[in-house]
């Protein structure tokens, strides 16, 4: 799984197409075959071939894991049945009595896993404001093992100071796990900055077509990869061969899609900023975003495809707006060809406790957009008619 020198020399977009995608030796097919086999004939009793049972390893899954490791710059990657399965696997590195410090601006499902599942296993989680390194430092306890953060936060699109957080964590021998879903490796590769684990909801930009539920852990060091592989194999939430095929196909166009979505997102964010029905736009590409400078330094090639904004209205009018777009689909998820709209307070972040939602700045009039691959003119016209009271 280690990158060889030729891989290192190739550019991201080329690796997305060629690493893990060697022509099939039997047929010359230029795309990976889907191997639905659950079991594999072995050379002898107690002698093991490369694959033995599909939970432990499957050729289609191995191929996409190789591509993923190359794109994130890791020693290896593991593909899971969902992003939450991948996150759960990472948390299972900890034992009862140990502690995680997580960022405040995180996906609602991660919040739920940390507070309503990990705690049952005796793993405590404290949320800290990662924009303030003193607050992060103060949250660290003698039992802390891991810092969990999103490279672009959700839904406020905060961009934490990843190099400084990694430095702080390394000084205290803590693992740094980064949910890189919003940025994708096309914009940011945390392992190259010294993070230990990168997690993805590959359901989003990596798959890119709203047709494959998947999760990924990419890892910097082999010893950690081995531990995570052990947990994955023991617990079993692996990616199916068909979904591994879809994910591999999506990765081939990742950079093209992400860069195009970033271009459109920046233009939409600029339009929203001057819209009379909008009070505030949060997009790291805007100079008005508190983390704009850091985003410019850390992100390469764009600022992501997600925009959040506050509408100048109450809860019910916000609900009406998100229902009255014609191109933007009213749905959670993001990073796909089709643009989506949602109200975090009632949808993606409904699993936050009410008080935590307020603390995280998730107001009733907050709207989140995922910019797809449609034409800018059509998307901006659709938002305008919805904001002006269309239905
Ligand atoms: C940032 C982020 N992390 C993790 C997840 C969970 O991934 P999945 O839905 O693939 O389990 C999501 C899902 O929306 C997400 O947006």
């Amino acid at each position: 799984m280690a990158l060889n020198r030729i891989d290192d020399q190739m550019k991201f977009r080329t690796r997305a197409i060629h690493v893990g995608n060697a022509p099939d030796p039997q047929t010359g097919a230029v795309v990976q075959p889907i191997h639905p086999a659950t079991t594999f004939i072995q050379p002898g009793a107690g002698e093991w071939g490369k694959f033995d049972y599909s939970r432990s390893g499957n050729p289609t899954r191995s191929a996409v894991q190789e591509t993923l490791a190359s794109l994130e710059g890791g020693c290896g990657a593991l593909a899971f049945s969902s992003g939450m399965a991948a996150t759960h696997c990472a948390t299972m590195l900890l034992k009862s009595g140990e502690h995680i410090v997580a960022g405040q601006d995180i996906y609602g499902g991660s919040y739920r896993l940390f507070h309503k599942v990990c705690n049952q296993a005796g793993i405590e989680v404290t949320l800290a404001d990662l924009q303030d390194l003193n607050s992060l430092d103060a949250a660290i306890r003698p039992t802390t093992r891991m810092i969990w953060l999103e490279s672009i936060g959700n839904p406020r699109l905060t961009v934490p100071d990843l190099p400084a957080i990694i430095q702080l964590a390394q000084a205290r021998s803590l693992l740094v796990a980064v949910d890189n879903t919003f940025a994708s490796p096309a914009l940011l590769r945390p392992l190259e900055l010294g993070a230990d684990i990168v997690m993805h909801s590959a359901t989003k930009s990596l798959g890119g077509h709203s047709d494959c539920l998947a999760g990924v852990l990419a890892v910097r060091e082999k010893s950690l990869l081995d531990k995570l592989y052990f947990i994955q194999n023991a617990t079993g939430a692996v990616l199916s061969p068909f979904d591994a095929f879809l994910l591999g196909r999506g990765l081939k166009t990742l950079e093209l899609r992400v860069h195009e979505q970033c271009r459109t997102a920046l233009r939409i964010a600029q339009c929203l900023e001057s819209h009379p029905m909008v009070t505030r736009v949060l997009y790291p590409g805007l100079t008005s975003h508190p983390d704009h400078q850091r985003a410019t330094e850390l992100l390469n090639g764009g600022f992501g495809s997600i925009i959040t904004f506050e509408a100048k209205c109450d809860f019910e009018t916000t609900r009406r707006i998100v229902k009255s777009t014609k191109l933007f689909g009213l749905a959670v998820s993001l990073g796909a060809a089709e643009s989506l709209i949602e109200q975090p307070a009632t949808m993606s972040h409904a699993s936050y406790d009410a008080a935590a939602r307020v603390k995280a700045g998730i107001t009733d009039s907050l709207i989140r957009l995922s910019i797809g691959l449609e034409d800018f003119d059509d998307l901006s016209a659709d938002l305008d008619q919805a904001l002006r009271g269309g239905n």
Side-chain angles (χ1 to χ4, degrees):
M1 272 197 206
L3 293 183
N4 62 37
R5 288 192 56 226
I6 296 169
D7 295 343
D8 274 340
Q9 285 158 14
M10 292 192 293
K11 301 279 194 232
F12 185 90
R13 200 193 287 190
T14 313
R15 284 185 278 132
I17 295 166
H18 290 284
V19 177
N21 283 312
D24 179 38
Q26 264 186 354
T27 61
V30 297
V31 295
Q32 284 301 308
I34 302 171
H35 289 278
T38 52
T39 193
F40 301 81
I41 301 297
Q42 301 306 307
E47 295 170 40
W48 300 104
K50 185 169 176 197
F51 297 101
D52 54 79
Y53 185 64
S54 267
R55 170 162 40 73
S56 312
N58 170 281
T60 318
R61 195 165 87 237
S62 284
V64 76
Q65 289 180 163
E66 208 184 314
T67 320
L68 289 160
S70 172
L71 296 185
E72 280 291 357
C75 75
L78 300 168
F80 292 80
S81 53
S82 73
M84 290 320 302
T87 304
H88 189 215
C89 181
T91 65
M92 282 189 273
L93 287 168
L94 276 70
K95 297 194 290 285
S96 173
E98 293 185 327
H99 175 243
I100 299 173
V101 179
Q104 266 171 6
D105 198 17
I106 57 170
Y107 170 58
S110 307
Y111 175 93
R112 179 175 53 200
L113 177 81
F114 292 152
H115 291 85
K116 300 189 174 149
V117 178
C118 291
N119 63 345
Q120 309 263 10
I123 298 164
E124 287 190 83
V125 183
T126 305
L127 299 188
D129 176 7
L130 300 186
Q131 302 310 100
D132 172 8
L133 289 185
N134 292 330
S135 143
L136 168 62
D137 209 28
I140 294 171
R141 305 177 185 169
T143 52
T144 306
R145 283 275 321 277
M146 179 185 280
I147 298 179
W148 179 275
L149 67 143
E150 297 190 5
S151 50
I152 301 181
N154 186 353
R156 287 183 297 124
L157 308 177
T158 48
V159 181
D161 188 347
L162 198 49
I165 292 171
I166 290 170
Q167 199 180 20
L168 187 148
Q170 285 177 346
R172 289 158 173 258
S173 305
L174 305 178
L175 292 172
V176 178
V178 181
D179 180 336
N180 201 28
T181 302
F182 274 29
S184 94
L187 304 183
L188 178 69
R189 291 181 286 284
L191 300 182
E192 293 176 357
L193 299 174
D196 300 286
I197 301 172
V198 158
M199 175 269 162
H200 276 283
S201 170
T203 315
K204 312 296 173 351
S205 302
L206 303 192
H209 295 78
S210 302
D211 56 9
C212 153
L213 195 71
V216 173
L217 294 179
V219 187
R220 190 161 56 89
E221 284 188 358
K222 176 82 171 62
S223 56
L224 189 56
L225 179 69
D226 291 345
K227 283 185 196 158
L228 290 164
Y229 171 75
F230 179 85
I231 297 169
Q232 185 195 40
N233 187 39
T235 53
V238 295
L239 190 63
S240 78
F242 183 62
D243 287 320
F245 165 78
L246 285 177
L247 177 54
R249 190 176 65 160
L251 289 175
K252 292 180 184 176
T253 54
L254 174 68
E255 190 181 69
L256 300 178
R257 287 184 285 104
V258 168
H259 285 179
E260 186 56 26
Q261 286 167 333
C262 289
R263 268 191 287 277
T264 310
L266 180 59
R267 293 177 72 192
I268 295 276
Q270 285 163 342
C271 283
L272 286 172
E273 211 169 28
S274 56
H275 198 285
M277 274 300 291
V278 173
T279 50
R280 185 167 185 224
V281 183
L282 287 170
Y283 183 66
L286 295 176
T287 52
S288 56
H289 190 281
D291 298 335
H292 175 67
Q293 186 52 37
R294 187 176 302 134
T296 307
E297 288 159 17
L298 279 179
L299 305 174
N300 205 345
F303 297 94
S305 58
I306 314 301
I307 303 168
T308 49
F309 66 95
E310 299 254 3
K312 198 182 281 177
C313 58
D314 60 11
F315 178 72
E316 281 310 323
T317 313
T318 308
R319 292 188 67 204
R320 199 261 313 139
I321 291 170
V322 298
K323 250 182 92 171
S324 45
T325 48
K326 297 183 172 27
L327 285 175
F328 284 86
L330 176 55
V332 291
S333 204
L334 50 108
E338 48 286 324
S339 294
L340 300 174
I341 189 165
E342 63 118 0
Q343 185 185 32
T346 53
M347 297 174 74
S348 60
H349 290 69
S351 38
Y352 268 56
D353 295 333
R357 212 159 46 225
V358 171
K359 209 168 163 197
I362 303 166
T363 61
D364 288 348
S365 55
L366 199 70
I367 294 176
R368 189 180 81 180
L369 303 175
S370 167
I371 303 300
L373 291 168
E374 302 92 335
D375 189 272
F376 162 78
D377 290 338
D378 296 327
L379 292 179
S380 62
D382 189 28
L383 281 177
D384 186 54
Q385 66 79 23
L387 285 165
R388 288 181 195 278
N391 51 42

